[in-house]
Amino acid sequence: MSQSPTRQFEKMVNESTHILILLPENPENDFFCSALAIAHFCFYHDIKTTIGFSDPYEQIVSLNFLTRPKTTELTHTIAGSRDLVLSFDTTYNKILGVRTETLKDKVNVYITPERGMIDSRDFSFLPDKFPYDLIITVGATDKEAMGKLYDEIPDIFYELPIINFDNKSANEQFGQVNFVNAVSSSVSEVVSDLFNQLNYHISKECAQSLLTGIISATNSFQNHNTTPHALTLSSQLLENGADQQIIIRNLYRNQTFSLLQLWGRAMKNLGTSQLNDAIVTSLITQNDLTQTKAEKHHIHAILKKIKQNYPKGKVFVLIYEKEHNNFIALINTEKSNIALEHDTTRTIKMLSEYVYEVPLLAHTQDEVCGEVDEIFLNYSEFLKKS
């Protein structure tokens, strides 16, 4: 009789010494909080963890108030995590010494044999084992969702066992063990449920991570996806030592002067599209970013503020000047349920569900808004109906 997913998780984790926890590119707060909670669980069982994710907009910086276990490392790349082994058969000829020489475009390896010459049949090239025993993915619908990290070493996803946590119905169940519950309002709920099934005493630090994930995913329990079960779990996490006030202060009230200045400038440029007034747009220039001393994560924070403050909007677009006359559109289509598709003229990159990054072809402020209208030409009738 096969083991339940819960017991399989317990067995696979306990047999590991170093676990790689991977998040999708541009991870949501909920995903990072879930990963951190799993890291706390592993720390309790004396297991080392590495949390890997690509975060070009540095959105996770807002979660720096959460405690990270001493044995947990954060990384934005897994390139170089596997060595190539040059192996010699020394049965008939011992090796007396090995030295290397690093040149501009190559590295030379010099081997000194005990006798005569080295026979080429006595050495081979082999890939070393990965330094990890197990992969745990959090919030990814498929392996490719890891983005840059998947591109760096795709082999790792096929050579190591995977445990997959998610709360989206589109998840491809790509793990050897899958914890996917589309009814849950957050992945932190899925992880909390597993810990309860394991009778794991959730520490104060772990509870703080899980409650932060739930609050972030539900917008402090205000979103329509908030379930009664999320409230029940949150109450339990408070009993385990989580501090809701600290979470609220860091997620919603701890706004720097730079962010407030940038928000003021975004407000001045706020408007609606000529194509459809359900498309709310704003523009931030290089001068705005420089004058306010804004940081990368402030850009996504402004897009969230626009969405939160204009409930009548269906699509929210923040155009920012990444370099001189080089514009990027960040687009949130969650309220309209529009899934943008690639077109023949421009690249549309999904950062997370319903959030897209589109490098614009236009090079002047006057032209960029017109180009945004072009992107939504095929969706105008849909927007009118919604």
Side-chain angles (χ1 to χ4, degrees):
M1 185 176 178
S2 62
Q3 290 182 314
S4 68
T6 300
R7 294 308 158 201
Q8 289 182 66
F9 171 87
E10 188 174 36
K11 182 176 184 295
M12 292 168 74
V13 168
N14 286 334
E15 289 176 351
S16 302
T17 58
H18 191 177
I19 297 175
L20 179 62
I21 306 173
L22 293 178
L23 312 180
E25 195 165 26
N26 300 285
E28 297 176 15
N29 286 353
D30 173 37
F31 304 160
F32 182 80
C33 292
S34 300
L36 207 55
I38 294 170
H40 281 292
F41 175 86
C42 293
F43 176 72
Y44 178 79
H45 290 85
D46 297 319
I47 299 166
K48 184 180 178 181
T49 51
T50 295
I51 302 176
F53 56 96
S54 175
D55 185 24
Y57 285 96
E58 299 176 358
Q59 298 182 79
I60 300 303
V61 71
S62 64
L63 301 176
N64 284 345
F65 69 96
L66 295 174
T67 303
R68 176 160 43 106
K70 296 177 182 178
T71 55
T72 298
E73 296 180 356
L74 302 184
T75 183
H76 299 305
T77 178
I78 56 174
S81 60
R82 188 181 210 180
D83 295 331
L84 181 67
V85 179
L86 179 59
S87 181
F88 292 88
D89 183 350
T90 59
T91 305
Y92 303 105
N93 197 0
K94 305 298 182 186
I95 299 299
L96 299 181
V98 178
R99 65 184 178 87
T100 61
E101 179 187 25
T102 303
L103 302 177
K104 182 180 179 181
D105 299 316
K106 63 180 178 179
V107 175
N108 293 327
V109 180
Y110 298 90
I111 300 99
T112 306
E114 185 178 55
R115 301 188 314 274
M117 299 289 291
I118 295 174
D119 191 326
S120 61
R121 292 171 295 182
D122 289 337
F123 67 85
S124 58
F125 297 92
L126 299 169
D128 196 9
K129 289 177 60 178
F130 286 108
Y132 315 107
D133 312 292
L134 174 66
I135 294 174
I136 296 178
T137 63
V138 180
T141 53
D142 53 34
K143 298 170 185 175
E144 291 78 6
M146 263 57 75
K148 185 187 79 169
L149 272 63
Y150 178 83
D151 295 335
E152 287 176 345
I153 311 182
D155 289 354
I156 197 172
F157 294 90
Y158 300 94
E159 295 187 28
L160 294 181
I162 297 174
I163 298 176
N164 163 34
F165 286 89
D166 199 11
N167 69 328
K168 294 184 283 295
S169 58
N171 189 281
E172 295 185 358
Q173 306 272 338
F174 56 88
Q176 280 68 48
V177 180
N178 299 286
F179 294 94
V180 179
N181 186 350
V183 177
S184 296
S185 56
S186 65
V187 182
S188 294
E189 283 182 54
V190 180
V191 175
S192 298
D193 285 335
L194 172 63
F195 288 169
N196 286 333
Q197 291 167 22
L198 291 169
N199 293 317
Y200 166 59
H201 176 70
I202 298 175
S203 66
K204 178 181 177 180
E205 294 78 13
C206 184
Q208 188 80 336
S209 295
L210 291 169
L211 185 58
T212 302
I214 293 173
I215 288 175
S216 181
T218 61
N219 192 23
S220 194
F221 310 110
Q222 297 180 59
N223 286 356
H224 63 85
N225 66 334
T226 307
T227 63
H229 186 55
L231 299 174
T232 301
L233 285 175
S234 298
S235 177
Q236 174 194 326
L237 294 170
L238 289 170
E239 292 177 4
N240 287 340
D243 191 323
Q244 185 176 359
Q245 294 307 311
I246 290 177
I247 296 170
I248 296 298
R249 183 166 65 248
N250 280 277
L251 289 184
Y252 301 107
R253 298 175 186 168
N254 191 16
Q255 300 186 35
T256 64
F257 185 57
S258 292
L259 176 60
L260 294 175
Q261 282 186 306
L262 190 63
W263 174 231
R265 291 178 180 238
M267 287 280 288
K268 288 183 179 179
N269 295 325
L270 199 70
T272 56
S273 164
Q274 293 183 1
L275 178 70
N276 190 306
D277 59 10
I279 302 175
V280 181
T281 65
S282 185
L283 174 69
I284 294 175
T285 66
Q286 262 289 305
N287 184 59
D288 293 329
L289 295 170
T290 302
Q291 292 296 319
T292 61
K293 298 180 180 179
E295 299 180 37
K296 284 184 179 180
H297 64 276
H298 289 155
I299 297 172
H300 267 270
I302 295 298
L303 181 62
K304 290 178 182 178
K305 278 182 167 293
I306 295 173
K307 178 173 174 284
Q308 291 167 359
N309 285 273
Y310 293 88
K312 291 184 179 180
K314 298 294 183 182
V315 172
F316 304 90
V317 183
L318 177 63
I319 303 165
Y320 76 95
E321 191 176 13
K322 186 175 182 180
E323 298 169 350
H324 181 62
N325 290 336
N326 181 1
F327 294 90
I328 304 288
L330 289 180
I331 302 172
N332 186 308
T333 61
E334 182 180 4
K335 292 180 71 174
S336 63
N337 292 318
I338 289 177
L340 295 183
E341 299 177 354
H342 290 286
D343 59 35
T344 56
T345 57
R346 59 183 65 83
T347 302
I348 297 177
K349 180 180 180 181
M350 178 184 285
L351 300 181
S352 59
E353 191 173 22
Y354 296 119
V355 179
Y356 303 86
E357 178 188 78
V358 185
L360 299 178
L361 304 176
H363 294 294
T364 68
Q365 295 182 32
D366 295 333
E367 295 173 341
V368 290
C369 291
E371 186 173 345
V372 169
D373 286 349
E374 290 178 15
I375 294 172
F376 286 97
L377 275 176
N378 295 331
Y379 305 97
S380 58
E381 291 302 318
F382 181 84
L383 282 169
K384 289 177 182 178
K385 293 176 183 177
S386 63

